[in-house]
Amino acid sequence: MKEKIYLNKYLISDPHSEYLFKQDFSILFINEALNIKKQIVDKDGNILDFPGIEYTDKLKSELGKRVIDPIVKYEAFFEKINADRIRMIWTVRPDGRYWMDSWGFGGEDYESVSLYSYMDANGNFTMPFKLYSIGYDIYA
């Protein structure tokens, strides 16, 4: 039986800083039962109907005063939580090795930072993005 709520793809990613080809980051949300087809992320990675970010003390201590733009630059993946709910996990800072060239030069010494939010059966975010993980430490 085909799912009634789904996305056109569940992973968008720019695999490495030296990757030469521009990725199409478009994410479409489809709810066949309610006849909804809604773009969540455009081809350039802009998150549409962005719900904002909850800047916790932990997130601020990790990123400093950096403001996070509502753009997927590195990676985002989506998980079906139940029949009416999808979670988006968005990498706002990749692991420092992302910047390393093929010889190991240029890598940075920091861990990845990811945020998460949920979408409802209408394709709307239900909360601001919150801290999901720093490296292997999960906070969600």
Side-chain angles (χ1 to χ4, degrees):
M1 183 171 154
K2 187 175 177 185
E3 305 242 3
K4 291 192 166 75
I5 295 176
Y6 57 94
L7 303 173
N8 65 319
K9 53 189 165 187
Y10 287 81
L11 171 68
I12 50 178
S13 176
D14 196 6
H16 191 269
S17 64
E18 292 183 331
Y19 196 71
L20 300 175
F21 302 102
K22 177 74 175 138
Q23 301 296 303
D24 179 355
F25 279 4
S26 298
I27 295 288
L28 292 176
F29 171 90
I30 296 108
N31 181 331
E32 291 182 356
L34 298 177
N35 200 25
I36 296 172
K37 189 173 189 179
K38 179 178 181 180
Q39 190 160 22
I40 304 300
V41 179
D42 73 13
K43 68 180 180 58
D44 296 319
N46 297 297
I47 301 171
L48 307 176
D49 297 325
F50 186 67
I53 295 171
E54 182 179 286
Y55 285 93
T56 61
D57 290 339
K58 186 74 175 165
L59 182 59
K60 287 190 271 188
S61 71
E62 186 65 29
L63 296 179
K65 295 184 183 211
R66 178 179 161 218
V67 174
I68 302 168
D69 294 323
I71 301 170
V72 178
K73 295 178 183 176
Y74 310 107
E75 180 178 83
F77 67 93
F78 300 80
E79 299 174 313
K80 190 101 184 238
I81 301 302
N82 58 38
D84 296 326
R85 198 168 184 199
I86 295 173
R87 177 169 52 190
M88 177 178 174
I89 300 175
W90 167 36
T91 301
V92 296
R93 183 182 74 191
D95 181 287
R97 293 174 292 179
Y98 175 85
W99 306 107
M100 191 167 43
D101 67 15
S102 56
W103 294 320
F105 181 75
E108 299 288 333
D109 186 23
Y110 52 74
E111 296 181 294
S112 65
V113 176
S114 296
L115 308 178
Y116 76 103
S117 185
Y118 292 99
M119 289 183 289
D120 63 16
N122 295 311
N124 298 317
F125 289 106
T126 60
M127 65 182 208
F129 280 89
K130 297 181 180 187
L131 181 60
Y132 180 77
S133 67
I134 298 173
Y136 293 106
D137 295 329
I138 306 293
Y139 297 94

PDB file of all heavy atoms in Angstrom, residues 28-53:
ATOM      1  N   LEU A  28       9.838  18.214  -1.789  1.00  0.00           N
ATOM      2  CA  LEU A  28       8.396  18.391  -1.913  1.00  0.00           C
ATOM      3  C   LEU A  28       7.686  17.493  -0.908  1.00  0.00           C
ATOM      4  O   LEU A  28       8.004  16.312  -0.790  1.00  0.00           O
ATOM      5  CB  LEU A  28       7.928  18.030  -3.322  1.00  0.00           C
ATOM      6  CG  LEU A  28       8.374  18.943  -4.442  1.00  0.00           C
ATOM      7  CD1 LEU A  28       7.914  18.382  -5.788  1.00  0.00           C
ATOM      8  CD2 LEU A  28       7.842  20.352  -4.248  1.00  0.00           C
ATOM      9  N   PHE A  29       6.713  18.071  -0.220  1.00  0.00           N
ATOM     10  CA  PHE A  29       5.856  17.342   0.710  1.00  0.00           C
ATOM     11  C   PHE A  29       4.562  17.025  -0.032  1.00  0.00           C
ATOM     12  O   PHE A  29       3.981  17.908  -0.668  1.00  0.00           O
ATOM     13  CB  PHE A  29       5.565  18.212   1.934  1.00  0.00           C
ATOM     14  CG  PHE A  29       4.520  17.649   2.848  1.00  0.00           C
ATOM     15  CD1 PHE A  29       4.892  16.816   3.890  1.00  0.00           C
ATOM     16  CD2 PHE A  29       3.177  17.942   2.672  1.00  0.00           C
ATOM     17  CE1 PHE A  29       3.929  16.287   4.737  1.00  0.00           C
ATOM     18  CE2 PHE A  29       2.217  17.421   3.505  1.00  0.00           C
ATOM     19  CZ  PHE A  29       2.592  16.585   4.546  1.00  0.00           C
ATOM     20  N   ILE A  30       4.114  15.770   0.064  1.00  0.00           N
ATOM     21  CA  ILE A  30       2.882  15.365  -0.603  1.00  0.00           C
ATOM     22  C   ILE A  30       1.968  14.671   0.412  1.00  0.00           C
ATOM     23  O   ILE A  30       2.399  13.747   1.105  1.00  0.00           O
ATOM     24  CB  ILE A  30       3.153  14.418  -1.794  1.00  0.00           C
ATOM     25  CG1 ILE A  30       3.962  15.143  -2.875  1.00  0.00           C
ATOM     26  CG2 ILE A  30       1.847  13.917  -2.399  1.00  0.00           C
ATOM     27  CD1 ILE A  30       5.361  14.706  -2.988  1.00  0.00           C
ATOM     28  N   ASN A  31       0.726  15.147   0.477  1.00  0.00           N
ATOM     29  CA  ASN A  31      -0.313  14.482   1.253  1.00  0.00           C
ATOM     30  C   ASN A  31      -1.449  14.207   0.279  1.00  0.00           C
ATOM     31  O   ASN A  31      -2.220  15.111  -0.059  1.00  0.00           O
ATOM     32  CB  ASN A  31      -0.787  15.343   2.420  1.00  0.00           C
ATOM     33  CG  ASN A  31      -1.860  14.666   3.267  1.00  0.00           C
ATOM     34  OD1 ASN A  31      -2.619  13.847   2.768  1.00  0.00           O
ATOM     35  ND2 ASN A  31      -1.914  15.021   4.528  1.00  0.00           N
ATOM     36  N   GLU A  32      -1.529  12.975  -0.199  1.00  0.00           N
ATOM     37  CA  GLU A  32      -2.527  12.621  -1.207  1.00  0.00           C
ATOM     38  C   GLU A  32      -3.947  12.693  -0.662  1.00  0.00           C
ATOM     39  O   GLU A  32      -4.864  13.075  -1.373  1.00  0.00           O
ATOM     40  CB  GLU A  32      -2.234  11.237  -1.772  1.00  0.00           C
ATOM     41  CG  GLU A  32      -0.980  11.208  -2.612  1.00  0.00           C
ATOM     42  CD  GLU A  32      -0.695   9.850  -3.220  1.00  0.00           C
ATOM     43  OE1 GLU A  32      -1.432   8.883  -2.932  1.00  0.00           O
ATOM     44  OE2 GLU A  32       0.280   9.763  -3.980  1.00  0.00           O
ATOM     45  N   ALA A  33      -4.135  12.339   0.605  1.00  0.00           N
ATOM     46  CA  ALA A  33      -5.478  12.338   1.200  1.00  0.00           C
ATOM     47  C   ALA A  33      -6.081  13.741   1.232  1.00  0.00           C
ATOM     48  O   ALA A  33      -7.282  13.917   1.031  1.00  0.00           O
ATOM     49  CB  ALA A  33      -5.426  11.753   2.604  1.00  0.00           C
ATOM     50  N   LEU A  34      -5.240  14.763   1.480  1.00  0.00           N
ATOM     51  CA  LEU A  34      -5.721  16.148   1.550  1.00  0.00           C
ATOM     52  C   LEU A  34      -5.412  16.938   0.280  1.00  0.00           C
ATOM     53  O   LEU A  34      -5.649  18.137   0.220  1.00  0.00           O
ATOM     54  CB  LEU A  34      -5.101  16.856   2.762  1.00  0.00           C
ATOM     55  CG  LEU A  34      -5.433  16.275   4.133  1.00  0.00           C
ATOM     56  CD1 LEU A  34      -4.692  17.023   5.227  1.00  0.00           C
ATOM     57  CD2 LEU A  34      -6.940  16.301   4.380  1.00  0.00           C
ATOM     58  N   ASN A  35      -4.855  16.264  -0.721  1.00  0.00           N
ATOM     59  CA  ASN A  35      -4.502  16.874  -1.998  1.00  0.00           C
ATOM     60  C   ASN A  35      -3.549  18.071  -1.805  1.00  0.00           C
ATOM     61  O   ASN A  35      -3.762  19.147  -2.375  1.00  0.00           O
ATOM     62  CB  ASN A  35      -5.757  17.281  -2.780  1.00  0.00           C
ATOM     63  CG  ASN A  35      -5.461  17.463  -4.253  1.00  0.00           C
ATOM     64  OD1 ASN A  35      -4.523  16.874  -4.777  1.00  0.00           O
ATOM     65  ND2 ASN A  35      -6.249  18.284  -4.909  1.00  0.00           N
ATOM     66  N   ILE A  36      -2.501  17.867  -0.983  1.00  0.00           N
ATOM     67  CA  ILE A  36      -1.509  18.911  -0.716  1.00  0.00           C
ATOM     68  C   ILE A  36      -0.190  18.521  -1.370  1.00  0.00           C
ATOM     69  O   ILE A  36       0.280  17.389  -1.213  1.00  0.00           O
ATOM     70  CB  ILE A  36      -1.279  19.092   0.799  1.00  0.00           C
ATOM     71  CG1 ILE A  36      -2.558  19.579   1.484  1.00  0.00           C
ATOM     72  CG2 ILE A  36      -0.130  20.063   1.063  1.00  0.00           C
ATOM     73  CD1 ILE A  36      -2.470  19.586   2.998  1.00  0.00           C
ATOM     74  N   LYS A  37       0.386  19.453  -2.107  1.00  0.00           N
ATOM     75  CA  LYS A  37       1.737  19.307  -2.647  1.00  0.00           C
ATOM     76  C   LYS A  37       2.430  20.628  -2.341  1.00  0.00           C
ATOM     77  O   LYS A  37       2.026  21.670  -2.863  1.00  0.00           O
ATOM     78  CB  LYS A  37       1.702  19.029  -4.145  1.00  0.00           C
ATOM     79  CG  LYS A  37       3.036  18.656  -4.727  1.00  0.00           C
ATOM     80  CD  LYS A  37       2.885  18.227  -6.177  1.00  0.00           C
ATOM     81  CE  LYS A  37       4.180  17.658  -6.690  1.00  0.00           C
ATOM     82  NZ  LYS A  37       4.052  17.211  -8.085  1.00  0.00           N
ATOM     83  N   LYS A  38       3.423  20.582  -1.459  1.00  0.00           N
ATOM     84  CA  LYS A  38       4.011  21.810  -0.934  1.00  0.00           C
ATOM     85  C   LYS A  38       5.533  21.695  -0.943  1.00  0.00           C
ATOM     86  O   LYS A  38       6.090  20.688  -0.510  1.00  0.00           O
ATOM     87  CB  LYS A  38       3.510  21.999   0.495  1.00  0.00           C
ATOM     88  CG  LYS A  38       4.036  23.197   1.202  1.00  0.00           C
ATOM     89  CD  LYS A  38       3.414  23.299   2.596  1.00  0.00           C
ATOM     90  CE  LYS A  38       3.924  24.506   3.308  1.00  0.00           C
ATOM     91  NZ  LYS A  38       3.347  24.623   4.644  1.00  0.00           N
ATOM     92  N   GLN A  39       6.197  22.738  -1.400  1.00  0.00           N
ATOM     93  CA  GLN A  39       7.659  22.745  -1.381  1.00  0.00           C
ATOM     94  C   GLN A  39       8.131  23.130   0.012  1.00  0.00           C
ATOM     95  O   GLN A  39       7.701  24.139   0.575  1.00  0.00           O
ATOM     96  CB  GLN A  39       8.211  23.704  -2.428  1.00  0.00           C
ATOM     97  CG  GLN A  39       9.696  23.567  -2.602  1.00  0.00           C
ATOM     98  CD  GLN A  39      10.183  24.135  -3.925  1.00  0.00           C
ATOM     99  OE1 GLN A  39       9.537  24.966  -4.536  1.00  0.00           O
ATOM    100  NE2 GLN A  39      11.342  23.664  -4.355  1.00  0.00           N
ATOM    101  N   ILE A  40       9.028  22.319   0.581  1.00  0.00           N
ATOM    102  CA  ILE A  40       9.586  22.540   1.917  1.00  0.00           C
ATOM    103  C   ILE A  40      10.944  23.231   1.811  1.00  0.00           C
ATOM    104  O   ILE A  40      11.251  24.138   2.554  1.00  0.00           O
ATOM    105  CB  ILE A  40       9.727  21.200   2.677  1.00  0.00           C
ATOM    106  CG1 ILE A  40       8.380  20.469   2.755  1.00  0.00           C
ATOM    107  CG2 ILE A  40      10.341  21.399   4.054  1.00  0.00           C
ATOM    108  CD1 ILE A  40       7.286  21.227   3.456  1.00  0.00           C
ATOM    109  N   VAL A  41      11.770  22.750   0.869  1.00  0.00           N
ATOM    110  CA  VAL A  41      13.099  23.317   0.611  1.00  0.00           C
ATOM    111  C   VAL A  41      13.188  23.559  -0.895  1.00  0.00           C
ATOM    112  O   VAL A  41      12.830  22.678  -1.680  1.00  0.00           O
ATOM    113  CB  VAL A  41      14.223  22.352   1.071  1.00  0.00           C
ATOM    114  CG1 VAL A  41      15.601  22.926   0.784  1.00  0.00           C
ATOM    115  CG2 VAL A  41      14.084  22.000   2.548  1.00  0.00           C
ATOM    116  N   ASP A  42      13.657  24.746  -1.300  1.00  0.00           N
ATOM    117  CA  ASP A  42      13.772  25.013  -2.739  1.00  0.00           C
ATOM    118  C   ASP A  42      15.089  24.455  -3.284  1.00  0.00           C
ATOM    119  O   ASP A  42      15.921  23.946  -2.526  1.00  0.00           O
ATOM    120  CB  ASP A  42      13.568  26.496  -3.063  1.00  0.00           C
ATOM    121  CG  ASP A  42      14.717  27.408  -2.658  1.00  0.00           C
ATOM    122  OD1 ASP A  42      15.827  26.924  -2.335  1.00  0.00           O
ATOM    123  OD2 ASP A  42      14.509  28.640  -2.670  1.00  0.00           O
ATOM    124  N   LYS A  43      15.290  24.561  -4.585  1.00  0.00           N
ATOM    125  CA  LYS A  43      16.453  23.943  -5.234  1.00  0.00           C
ATOM    126  C   LYS A  43      17.789  24.460  -4.707  1.00  0.00           C
ATOM    127  O   LYS A  43      18.785  23.767  -4.751  1.00  0.00           O
ATOM    128  CB  LYS A  43      16.383  24.085  -6.752  1.00  0.00           C
ATOM    129  CG  LYS A  43      16.535  25.499  -7.271  1.00  0.00           C
ATOM    130  CD  LYS A  43      16.448  25.536  -8.785  1.00  0.00           C
ATOM    131  CE  LYS A  43      16.588  26.903  -9.348  1.00  0.00           C
ATOM    132  NZ  LYS A  43      17.810  27.604  -9.031  1.00  0.00           N
ATOM    133  N   ASP A  44      17.791  25.700  -4.185  1.00  0.00           N
ATOM    134  CA  ASP A  44      19.024  26.300  -3.659  1.00  0.00           C
ATOM    135  C   ASP A  44      19.235  26.033  -2.174  1.00  0.00           C
ATOM    136  O   ASP A  44      20.208  26.523  -1.595  1.00  0.00           O
ATOM    137  CB  ASP A  44      19.018  27.805  -3.913  1.00  0.00           C
ATOM    138  CG  ASP A  44      19.021  28.125  -5.402  1.00  0.00           C
ATOM    139  OD1 ASP A  44      19.737  27.442  -6.166  1.00  0.00           O
ATOM    140  OD2 ASP A  44      18.283  29.050  -5.806  1.00  0.00           O
ATOM    141  N   GLY A  45      18.311  25.303  -1.546  1.00  0.00           N
ATOM    142  CA  GLY A  45      18.460  24.950  -0.136  1.00  0.00           C
ATOM    143  C   GLY A  45      17.716  25.844   0.829  1.00  0.00           C
ATOM    144  O   GLY A  45      17.788  25.640   2.041  1.00  0.00           O
ATOM    145  N   ASN A  46      16.998  26.854   0.340  1.00  0.00           N
ATOM    146  CA  ASN A  46      16.237  27.728   1.229  1.00  0.00           C
ATOM    147  C   ASN A  46      15.076  26.965   1.864  1.00  0.00           C
ATOM    148  O   ASN A  46      14.292  26.330   1.151  1.00  0.00           O
ATOM    149  CB  ASN A  46      15.684  28.935   0.459  1.00  0.00           C
ATOM    150  CG  ASN A  46      16.784  29.804  -0.091  1.00  0.00           C
ATOM    151  OD1 ASN A  46      17.565  30.373   0.666  1.00  0.00           O
ATOM    152  ND2 ASN A  46      16.874  29.886  -1.409  1.00  0.00           N
ATOM    153  N   ILE A  47      14.969  27.038   3.177  1.00  0.00           N
ATOM    154  CA  ILE A  47      13.877  26.380   3.892  1.00  0.00           C
ATOM    155  C   ILE A  47      12.689  27.330   3.863  1.00  0.00           C
ATOM    156  O   ILE A  47      12.759  28.453   4.373  1.00  0.00           O
ATOM    157  CB  ILE A  47      14.276  26.043   5.340  1.00  0.00           C
ATOM    158  CG1 ILE A  47      15.501  25.124   5.345  1.00  0.00           C
ATOM    159  CG2 ILE A  47      13.103  25.407   6.090  1.00  0.00           C
ATOM    160  CD1 ILE A  47      16.119  24.908   6.712  1.00  0.00           C
ATOM    161  N   LEU A  48      11.592  26.889   3.247  1.00  0.00           N
ATOM    162  CA  LEU A  48      10.420  27.734   3.080  1.00  0.00           C
ATOM    163  C   LEU A  48       9.527  27.651   4.317  1.00  0.00           C
ATOM    164  O   LEU A  48       9.503  26.631   5.009  1.00  0.00           O
ATOM    165  CB  LEU A  48       9.670  27.313   1.822  1.00  0.00           C
ATOM    166  CG  LEU A  48      10.552  27.258   0.556  1.00  0.00           C
ATOM    167  CD1 LEU A  48       9.764  26.743  -0.628  1.00  0.00           C
ATOM    168  CD2 LEU A  48      11.169  28.610   0.257  1.00  0.00           C
ATOM    169  N   ASP A  49       8.794  28.710   4.591  1.00  0.00           N
ATOM    170  CA  ASP A  49       7.946  28.799   5.792  1.00  0.00           C
ATOM    171  C   ASP A  49       8.753  28.461   7.041  1.00  0.00           C
ATOM    172  O   ASP A  49       8.302  27.716   7.921  1.00  0.00           O
ATOM    173  CB  ASP A  49       6.718  27.897   5.673  1.00  0.00           C
ATOM    174  CG  ASP A  49       5.817  28.308   4.518  1.00  0.00           C
ATOM    175  OD1 ASP A  49       5.705  29.525   4.254  1.00  0.00           O
ATOM    176  OD2 ASP A  49       5.227  27.425   3.874  1.00  0.00           O
ATOM    177  N   PHE A  50       9.949  29.021   7.103  1.00  0.00           N
ATOM    178  CA  PHE A  50      10.905  28.738   8.184  1.00  0.00           C
ATOM    179  C   PHE A  50      10.310  29.111   9.545  1.00  0.00           C
ATOM    180  O   PHE A  50       9.871  30.242   9.741  1.00  0.00           O
ATOM    181  CB  PHE A  50      12.188  29.522   7.924  1.00  0.00           C
ATOM    182  CG  PHE A  50      13.306  29.213   8.865  1.00  0.00           C
ATOM    183  CD1 PHE A  50      13.912  27.967   8.853  1.00  0.00           C
ATOM    184  CD2 PHE A  50      13.758  30.165   9.756  1.00  0.00           C
ATOM    185  CE1 PHE A  50      14.961  27.674   9.714  1.00  0.00           C
ATOM    186  CE2 PHE A  50      14.807  29.892  10.615  1.00  0.00           C
ATOM    187  CZ  PHE A  50      15.401  28.639  10.592  1.00  0.00           C
ATOM    188  N   PRO A  51      10.323  28.167  10.508  1.00  0.00           N
ATOM    189  CA  PRO A  51       9.687  28.415  11.810  1.00  0.00           C
ATOM    190  C   PRO A  51      10.595  29.079  12.844  1.00  0.00           C
ATOM    191  O   PRO A  51      10.181  29.287  13.978  1.00  0.00           O
ATOM    192  CB  PRO A  51       9.326  26.997  12.264  1.00  0.00           C
ATOM    193  CG  PRO A  51      10.444  26.162  11.725  1.00  0.00           C
ATOM    194  CD  PRO A  51      10.752  26.771  10.370  1.00  0.00           C
ATOM    195  N   GLY A  52      11.828  29.404  12.481  1.00  0.00           N
ATOM    196  CA  GLY A  52      12.754  30.013  13.426  1.00  0.00           C
ATOM    197  C   GLY A  52      13.615  28.974  14.126  1.00  0.00           C
ATOM    198  O   GLY A  52      13.498  27.771  13.867  1.00  0.00           O
ATOM    199  N   ILE A  53      14.481  29.456  15.020  1.00  0.00           N
ATOM    200  CA  ILE A  53      15.419  28.594  15.741  1.00  0.00           C
ATOM    201  C   ILE A  53      15.353  28.934  17.219  1.00  0.00           C
ATOM    202  O   ILE A  53      15.299  30.114  17.587  1.00  0.00           O
ATOM    203  CB  ILE A  53      16.862  28.799  15.230  1.00  0.00           C
ATOM    204  CG1 ILE A  53      16.977  28.351  13.780  1.00  0.00           C
ATOM    205  CG2 ILE A  53      17.870  28.055  16.111  1.00  0.00           C
ATOM    206  CD1 ILE A  53      18.292  28.696  13.117  1.00  0.00           C
TER     207      ILE A  53
END
